[in-house]
Amino acid sequence: MAELSEKLRRTIRDVPDFPKPGIIFKDITPVLKSPELFRKVIQAFCDRYREKGVTAIVAIESRGFIFGGALAERMGVPFVPVRKKSKLPYKTVSATYELEYGTDSVEMHADALGQGDRVVVLDDLVATGGTAQATARLCEQLGAEVVELAFVIELAFLHPRKKLSKYPVFSLVTFD
Ligand code: AMP
């Protein structure tokens, strides 16, 4: 784990002032460009959740889909996409969360999960934790249990675990 964490730390690219001034964007495309590293990321999540009775992987658009799709396929469990407002075609449930200015919503198909489901919520990165918290609430609205919130990258200096204190949180690399 420590080795993978260090490899990720060295590979993830910082892009200053994207998408707006003051934000340092953590670019995961160099990770995706290395089939060996990408495989190790998916394997690390797979090893962690294989024996936990997980029935679905819930991933957040859009970079979460890259890791979530690969993990669900590897684990042989359903993949559930969570999207921003008005993108999903069928009946949806929705959860709203606070942004720095205003609010945003995430949605999931109403028949995506149900009672008895045990899910891992996965995204590429957790910053304030607002998106992951809203996604966990969607899962719970449909009767599912959230086993863990999982991320490739955790921006620990934004203290996402405070907001997510109700759930176990796991990340492969942390930036302090
Ligand atoms: P948050 O709801 O604040 O935890 O933000 C998490 C979402 O925003 C994730 O889907 C991330 O992909 C994206 N995000 C936030 N901050 C960054 C960043 N510095 N670099 C890359 N993606 C980010």
Side-chain angles (χ1 to χ4, degrees):
M1 245 305 278
E3 199 184 317
L4 175 59
S5 186
E6 279 320 300
K7 182 78 182 138
L8 285 168
R9 192 184 301 285
R10 278 185 273 117
T11 308
I12 291 159
R13 175 164 56 196
D14 281 359
V15 183
D17 299 322
F18 183 87
K20 51 185 181 185
I23 306 280
I24 299 177
F25 192 86
K26 295 288 184 192
D27 178 16
I28 49 105
T29 62
V31 177
L32 306 176
K33 204 174 165 191
S34 162
E36 192 196 343
L37 185 54
F38 187 21
R39 190 180 310 117
K40 282 183 178 161
V41 166
I42 300 306
Q43 196 57 51
F45 287 131
C46 195
D47 291 347
R48 187 171 176 87
Y49 299 119
R50 204 193 328 251
E51 306 297 333
K52 298 254 171 77
V54 169
T55 62
I57 301 298
V58 175
I60 304 169
E61 88 165 86
S62 57
R63 289 177 298 278
F65 289 178
I66 299 167
F67 298 101
L71 179 61
E73 194 281 335
R74 178 81 62 90
M75 290 179 67
V77 299
F79 173 77
V80 175
V82 168
R83 299 209 60 186
K84 297 287 167 64
K85 203 175 167 48
S86 306
K87 301 277 190 187
L88 286 169
Y90 185 60
K91 264 184 279 176
T92 56
V93 286
S94 160
T96 300
Y97 59 100
E98 305 283 325
L99 296 173
E100 199 178 348
Y101 302 103
T103 61
D104 209 346
S105 305
V106 281
E107 296 183 341
M108 184 188 286
H109 274 157
D111 64 353
L113 298 170
Q115 290 286 342
D117 271 315
R118 289 172 47 82
V119 304
V120 170
V121 171
L122 184 68
D123 203 356
D124 68 324
L125 179 147
V126 65
T128 67
T131 318
Q133 185 190 39
T135 301
R137 290 210 314 265
L138 284 182
C139 299
E140 290 169 343
Q141 270 186 57
L142 294 179
E145 180 189 341
V146 176
V147 173
E148 193 154 76
L149 309 177
F151 308 94
V152 180
I153 304 164
E154 176 178 347
L155 300 186
F157 59 88
L158 294 175
H159 308 296
R161 286 176 194 248
K162 268 191 205 156
K163 187 171 277 173
L164 302 173
S165 60
K166 200 179 149 199
Y167 307 99
V169 174
F170 173 72
S171 53
L172 293 177
V173 61
T174 299
F175 291 89
D176 296 308

